[in-house]
Amino acid sequence: MQNTVLILDFGSQYTQLIARRVRELNIYCEIHPYHSIPENLDNFKAVILSGSPFSVRAEDAPHPNLSNIRGKLPLLGVCYGAQYMAQFNGGSVEPANLREYGRAKLSMIKPGEVFFEGIPENTQVWMSHGDTIEKLPEHTVRLASTPEVLNAAFKFEGEPTYGIQFHPEVYHTTHGKQLLENFLVKIAGVEQAWTPAAFVETIVHALKEQIGNDKVVLGLSGGVDSTVAATLLNKAIGKNLYCIFVNNGLLRKNEFESVLHQYKDMGLNVKGVDASERFLEALKNETDPERKRKAIGKAFIEVFDDEAHEVTDVDWLAQGTIYPDVIESVSVAGPSVTIKSHHNVGGLPDFMKLKIVEPLRMLFKDEVRRVGKELGIDPELLGRHPFPGPGLAIRILGDITAEKVRILQEVDFIFIDGLRKWGLYDKVWQAGAILLPINSVGVMGDERTYEKVVALRAVESTDGMTADWVNLPYEFLQEVSNNIINRVKGVNRVVYDISSKPPATIEWE
Ligand SMILES: Nc1ncnc2c1ncn2[C@@H]1O[C@H](COP(=O)(O)OP(=O)(O)OP(=O)(O)O)[C@@H](O)[C@H]1O
Ligand SMILES: O=c1[nH]c(=O)c2[nH+]cn([C@@H]3O[C@H](COP(=O)(O)O)[C@@H](O)[C@H]3O)c2[nH]1
Ligand SMILES: NC(=O)CC[C@H](N)C(=O)O
Ligand SMILES: [Mg+2]
């Protein structure tokens, strides 16, 4: 990629956010750990140093050699990055009187600086530091202060090198994006050319180069990532892409047929494999959540391996890995955490020995959606709620039978369909129904019933790590509850889950 911004990661919890903000400016960027600065910097147009949990005063603090960068490329140090440039260029960093965490105001901004163009005095910034820059190095100019922090921003004279104590990447820094734009666009002259269309063009070209006439297999799940990955590969290599969509019998009602149909309509070379029986068999009498997951994972690998063998001379396995997965595995913690020793281990399924191609490995989730939109993928498919790999198996508490799956599919369908009809679907991050392993007494048409209880769950979240239950309208819950009890044989009671995560989780198992 041309016009790239290099973000050197010193292990800050906010490094990913810096990348998000830069990408929002339609500028491509890459995060690299501070200890492995790319040797060839030709494609990089600017560099940002992240924050860090370390103190620059600590013996073991990150201490990269920036001689290939400083003065040669526009450089911005954020928090630790700024402290680092101050400390090792003749300035001094000391423990602050007070650890500062939270909002502050830039009470002084040096007028006439492009760096602060369009940013008003007293703008709010986000601070998160225990050290402070007591003394600036020589040949620097102070650009901003807060009442607590004298050296909140500075630059080196005669070179495009800047340091800021606050975090422009955090939303609470009201003009953070403007500041990044000032630095990257106005000062560094980086082009804002990173758009979904540009990505599609570049990646399709790169995939053609990488794969040539080889064959690729890919598992389609009905989810966003694998669908977008498949569409890109299809554009690049067409019929040499062999997609496999497995019905584990634990999908939503009608989902296998309708999604398979949709995939075919999209021109994908896809094979639908109905392995429902095999999965049900593997799950027989299994009640423990983790063992259910393991059984499903194992069955999946077996089915996929069988199917991958049907395609002769395959060289590649495509995966829908996205950037947050990649960042996690290349974090500053070092390569030790990345190794997943798939190779040279006996008894591995053959498809795991294939070369891996990951078209989305540099994209964030919302970028995957935008690329999907650019590719003309149905917005309904792109807006789908996340659905767990083990599917309904972890929403049927206790053991799993075909009958229980059928009941839960009906309940789930009424709930999800209701959300759509009431215009609530897109306001909810994830929703589903859970079949409880208990019966309760009811009365229907003067007769006593003793039937199943289902719980409905709908949550708001951004990444599934934390979640709040959604305040769905009572009238909606009333209608859905009536529909479920009247239409689904075997269910006589509906409850709504009002637990947040933490301490509850989204799924019940
Ligand atoms: N039913 C299935 N049939 C074939 N492949 C599958 C199926 N379910 C999952 N996979 C494969 O396993 C990968 C991991 O599944 P998982 O649902 O955990 O991923 P994900 O991050 O949600 O991505 P996606 O949005 O593609 O579902 C998928 O990207 C897909 O390649
Ligand atoms: O692919 C998956 N395999 C699983 O075993 C699994 N368990 C939970 N989830 C999904 O992860 C998110 C967080 O769920 P929890 O709050 O229940 O941990 C939610 O989106 C869950 O649906 C899974 N996804
Ligand atoms: N957010 C940061 O980069 C913090 C830097 C350093 N650890 C400090 O406490 O000042
Ligand atoms: Mg999925």
Side-chain angles (χ1 to χ4, degrees):
M1 298 282 169
Q2 299 294 318
N3 258 298
T4 299
V5 172
L6 170 64
I7 299 169
L8 282 186
D9 180 24
F10 292 91
S12 165
Q13 52 174 327
Y14 298 138
T15 306
Q16 263 201 57
L17 271 185
I18 302 180
R20 295 284 321 110
R21 292 297 161 269
V22 173
R23 297 274 184 98
E24 281 170 16
L25 292 167
N26 292 335
I27 294 173
Y28 181 69
C29 60
E30 285 178 9
I31 298 175
H32 291 251
Y34 72 87
H35 51 67
S36 41
I37 301 177
E39 261 168 44
N40 182 348
L41 294 167
D42 290 351
N43 274 340
F44 294 105
K45 300 288 179 274
V47 179
I48 299 176
L49 310 178
S50 83
S52 176
F54 279 99
S55 164
V56 289
R57 295 170 299 105
E59 283 282 328
D60 54 348
H63 201 320
N65 175 0
L66 299 179
S67 59
N68 285 337
I69 294 174
R70 169 92 194 271
K72 297 177 178 148
L73 288 171
L75 176 60
L76 171 64
V78 174
C79 201
Y80 181 93
Q83 296 168 354
Y84 181 69
M85 290 194 291
Q87 174 83 344
F88 297 103
N89 289 288
S92 80
V93 172
E94 303 295 338
N97 293 332
L98 197 77
R99 286 183 53 85
E100 196 185 19
Y101 186 82
R103 295 171 178 82
K105 285 197 157 47
L106 292 186
S107 45
M108 184 290 281
I109 295 178
K110 186 173 181 288
E113 288 292 326
V114 177
F115 192 68
F116 278 108
E117 222 166 70
I119 302 178
E121 205 146 279
N122 282 318
T123 184
Q124 177 179 296
V125 295
W126 183 259
M127 292 285 187
S128 170
H129 61 125
D131 288 348
T132 194
I133 302 171
E134 278 294 327
K135 181 166 140 298
L136 288 175
E138 278 182 35
H139 310 298
T140 54
V141 188
R142 179 179 306 125
L143 299 183
S145 309
T146 72
E148 300 295 327
V149 179
L150 181 62
N151 299 309
F154 63 93
K155 73 167 177 188
F156 284 84
E157 281 169 4
E159 57 177 282
T161 302
Y162 295 78
I164 47 180
Q165 180 60 70
F166 57 90
H167 289 270
E169 68 275 20
V170 174
Y171 275 115
H172 304 294
T173 297
T174 330
H175 290 85
K177 203 164 149 186
Q178 178 70 58
L179 186 124
L180 288 171
E181 184 169 358
N182 289 348
F183 171 68
L184 293 173
V185 181
K186 293 182 190 151
I187 294 169
V190 184
E191 263 181 83
Q192 293 172 284
W194 169 252
T195 58
F199 170 78
V200 171
E201 195 186 318
T202 318
I203 196 74
V204 168
H205 180 76
L207 288 170
K208 279 184 183 158
E209 297 261 295
Q210 185 180 12
I211 298 167
N213 280 323
D214 292 352
K215 291 183 185 172
V216 179
V217 287
L218 173 137
L220 278 170
S221 71
V224 173
D225 303 339
S226 53
T227 305
V228 174
T231 311
L232 285 169
L233 280 158
N234 185 42
K235 230 172 139 73
I237 62 166
K239 294 295 171 216
N240 276 344
L241 173 68
Y242 294 81
C243 300
I244 298 165
F245 180 30
V246 178
N247 183 6
N248 56 14
L250 303 159
L251 303 174
R252 297 197 136 115
K253 184 180 169 184
N254 298 336
E255 183 117 320
F256 181 64
E257 296 75 15
S258 72
V259 174
L260 185 60
H261 196 77
Q262 207 169 359
Y263 280 147
K264 288 188 171 154
D265 279 351
M266 287 161 63
L268 295 176
N269 178 14
V270 56
K271 178 173 176 191
V273 181
D274 190 353
S276 310
E277 297 291 331
R278 196 156 161 178
F279 280 85
L280 265 185
E281 191 54 39
L283 282 167
K284 205 166 186 175
N285 300 324
E286 205 57 88
T287 55
D288 177 77
E290 286 312 303
R291 290 177 54 148
K292 283 184 192 174
R293 284 188 171 82
K294 289 219 169 69
I296 291 168
K298 185 163 168 283
F300 180 77
I301 284 174
E302 286 166 9
V303 173
F304 198 83
D305 202 33
D306 287 355
E307 292 304 322
H309 273 105
E310 298 281 303
V311 189
T312 48
D313 305 325
V314 186
D315 298 286
W316 300 84
L317 172 71
Q319 290 182 339
T321 315
I322 65 175
Y323 203 34
D325 313 326
V326 176
I327 296 173
E328 249 163 56
S329 64
V330 299
S331 73
V332 292
S336 57
V337 290
T338 71
I339 298 168
K340 293 182 193 144
S341 33
H342 280 338
H343 300 281
N344 309 320
V345 182
L348 267 185
D350 282 348
F351 75 84
M352 281 197 171
K353 298 169 193 156
L354 299 172
K355 289 183 277 184
I356 304 286
V357 54
E358 300 172 316
L360 308 177
R361 62 180 278 116
M362 297 318 263
L363 301 192
F364 289 100
K365 191 79 178 188
D366 60 312
E367 291 178 313
V368 174
R369 291 214 167 86
R370 281 196 283 149
V371 166
K373 192 169 165 217
E374 173 70 29
L375 290 164
I377 299 173
D378 185 355
E380 198 177 299
L381 205 160
L382 294 175
R384 280 245 181 90
H385 289 173
F387 187 68
L392 300 182
I394 55 167
R395 293 183 181 168
I396 295 172
L397 309 195
D399 73 316
I400 291 154
T401 62
E403 174 63 4
K404 287 182 187 175
V405 173
R406 190 200 59 79
I407 291 178
L408 187 57
Q409 279 180 333
E410 294 301 329
V411 172
D412 176 79
F413 182 82
I414 292 171
F415 183 35
I416 300 298
D417 192 49
L419 285 170
R420 286 196 193 280
K421 285 187 179 140
W422 279 64
L424 294 165
Y425 185 87
D426 292 330
K427 298 192 176 115
V428 169
W429 188 77
Q430 186 174 21
I434 297 98
L435 185 66
L436 306 190
I438 45 170
N439 284 27
S440 83
V441 173
V443 50
M444 267 178 169
D446 284 342
E447 269 187 61
R448 179 184 189 274
T449 60
Y450 188 58
E451 293 177 335
K452 287 273 173 291
V453 183
V454 293
L456 305 182
R457 182 93 164 121
V459 296
E460 280 165 6
S461 178
T462 47
D463 51 14
M465 302 295 286
T466 61
D468 281 317
W469 58 277
V470 181
N471 206 331
L472 293 173
Y474 282 159
E475 297 73 18
F476 167 76
L477 289 170
Q478 187 176 30
E479 182 181 296
V480 166
S481 165
N482 276 342
N483 283 343
I484 290 171
I485 294 172
N486 288 336
R487 292 192 202 158
V488 185
K489 202 164 169 293
V491 174
N492 68 356
R493 191 176 297 265
V494 176
V495 298
Y496 186 54
D497 183 349
I498 52 167
S499 326
S500 293
K501 173 183 179 175
T505 51
I506 296 175
E507 304 294 348
W508 282 39
E509 285 198 333

